[in-house]
Amino acid sequence: MVFRKVHSSCVLFLVFLFTFTVSFASVSEAALSRSDSPQTVVKHKTSNKSQAKAKKTKSRDSREIWLQRARNNPDTMLGKASWYGSDFNMRATASGVPYNMYTFTAAHRTLPFGTIVRVTDQYNGKSVMVCVTDRGPYVGNRIIDMSMAAATRIGLNSKGVSTVELEVVSDSQGRPLKQGEAFFVESTSATGPERFGPYDTFADAAAVHEAMLLADPNASVVLDSSMQLR
């Protein structure tokens, strides 16, 4: 009799254990199923980030390819140039830098901000280097809109519009495209022509240039061999 009671108890315990195991397995499977869902979302987000990164890298690579082509064979463009002055002075430009009509800057539709361009008037042969800080012009077939100071340097201020040739001479950091070249500032004093430099970027040369303009309005920034004056 005692044996039967013990046997019955064992049977009931085994049935309880089996039921608990099946229930626990079902709950665990449901939990695992729920935990799979966030993993799928994370993977999807990672995929989007990868695509965005790849797109950004492609854009950056395209610019590098363009700059490399300019280094090997400097791109030149021919078209109409105009200029803008006091009506826009100290207003914000597309790059965020306030427009200063007394500095040597310009607006171009596509060139990266910070790119230095040599602008040459096709009628008088005069040239000036400008830094792209704004977007435009969007009138007719004009390809560049120059600051008043830059326009005055090549005689454009008196004509309003003229045909010019553009030559890209730096990357978007203002560094010369050609190896071995640097920027210099040329000025004329009572003792004769003077040259200051070399400067690795156009911004460094421009700072010296602006300081010299008060004493010599004809002072200019030029490109030459970086070995000069070393």
Side-chain angles (χ1 to χ4, degrees):
M1 192 70 178
V2 174
F3 174 76
R4 287 177 181 174
K5 288 183 178 180
V6 172
H7 179 71
S8 298
S9 299
C10 291
V11 171
L12 289 172
F13 176 76
L14 290 174
V15 171
F16 172 77
L17 181 63
F18 175 77
T19 303
F20 176 79
T21 303
V22 171
S23 299
F24 180 77
S26 299
V27 171
S28 299
E29 183 177 358
L32 288 173
S33 177
R34 287 194 300 271
S35 66
D36 285 342
S37 180
Q39 292 178 359
T40 302
V41 173
V42 171
K43 183 177 181 181
H44 179 67
K45 288 182 178 180
T46 302
S47 176
N48 287 342
K49 288 181 178 180
S50 298
Q51 291 176 1
K53 184 177 181 181
K55 185 177 180 180
K56 184 177 180 181
T57 301
K58 182 178 179 181
S59 177
R60 183 169 60 249
D61 290 343
S62 297
R63 179 176 293 180
E64 288 301 320
I65 291 173
W66 183 87
L67 289 174
Q68 186 59 46
R69 185 172 71 247
R71 291 187 182 97
N72 296 335
N73 182 23
D75 292 341
T76 57
M77 295 156 277
L78 190 67
K80 298 294 184 181
S82 55
W83 64 281
Y84 55 131
S86 58
D87 290 345
F88 299 90
N89 196 42
M90 302 314 295
R91 290 188 183 182
T93 63
S95 67
V97 178
Y99 168 66
N100 185 337
M101 64 183 185
Y102 300 107
T103 59
F104 291 74
T105 58
H108 191 277
R109 295 181 186 178
T110 58
L111 288 175
F113 295 134
T115 302
I116 309 305
V117 181
R118 181 185 285 117
V119 184
T120 303
D121 188 284
Q122 295 300 285
Y123 296 102
N124 58 27
K126 294 181 178 180
S127 297
V128 65
M129 283 191 286
V130 295
C131 179
V132 177
T133 60
D134 206 356
R135 288 291 176 238
Y138 300 104
V139 178
N141 60 345
R142 300 178 189 180
I143 60 174
I144 196 167
D145 210 3
M146 305 170 65
S147 66
M148 186 190 74
T152 301
R153 185 57 58 92
I154 62 173
L156 180 62
N157 61 318
S158 60
K159 294 183 289 185
V161 178
S162 185
T163 302
V164 299
E165 183 180 55
L166 309 185
E167 180 186 2
V168 177
V169 297
S170 87
D171 60 17
S172 60
Q173 302 301 314
R175 296 185 297 259
L177 291 182
K178 294 182 180 179
Q179 288 187 343
E181 284 193 340
F183 293 101
F184 296 84
V185 178
E186 288 187 342
S187 178
T188 302
S189 66
T191 58
E194 293 183 318
R195 175 174 282 194
F196 302 86
Y199 302 100
D200 294 330
T201 66
F202 181 81
D204 292 337
V208 176
H209 179 223
E210 290 174 21
M212 288 185 176
L213 286 175
L214 293 174
D216 180 10
N218 295 317
S220 60
V221 178
V222 298
L223 266 175
D224 205 342
S225 170
S226 59
M227 298 305 295
Q228 294 287 327
L229 299 182
R230 286 191 183 278

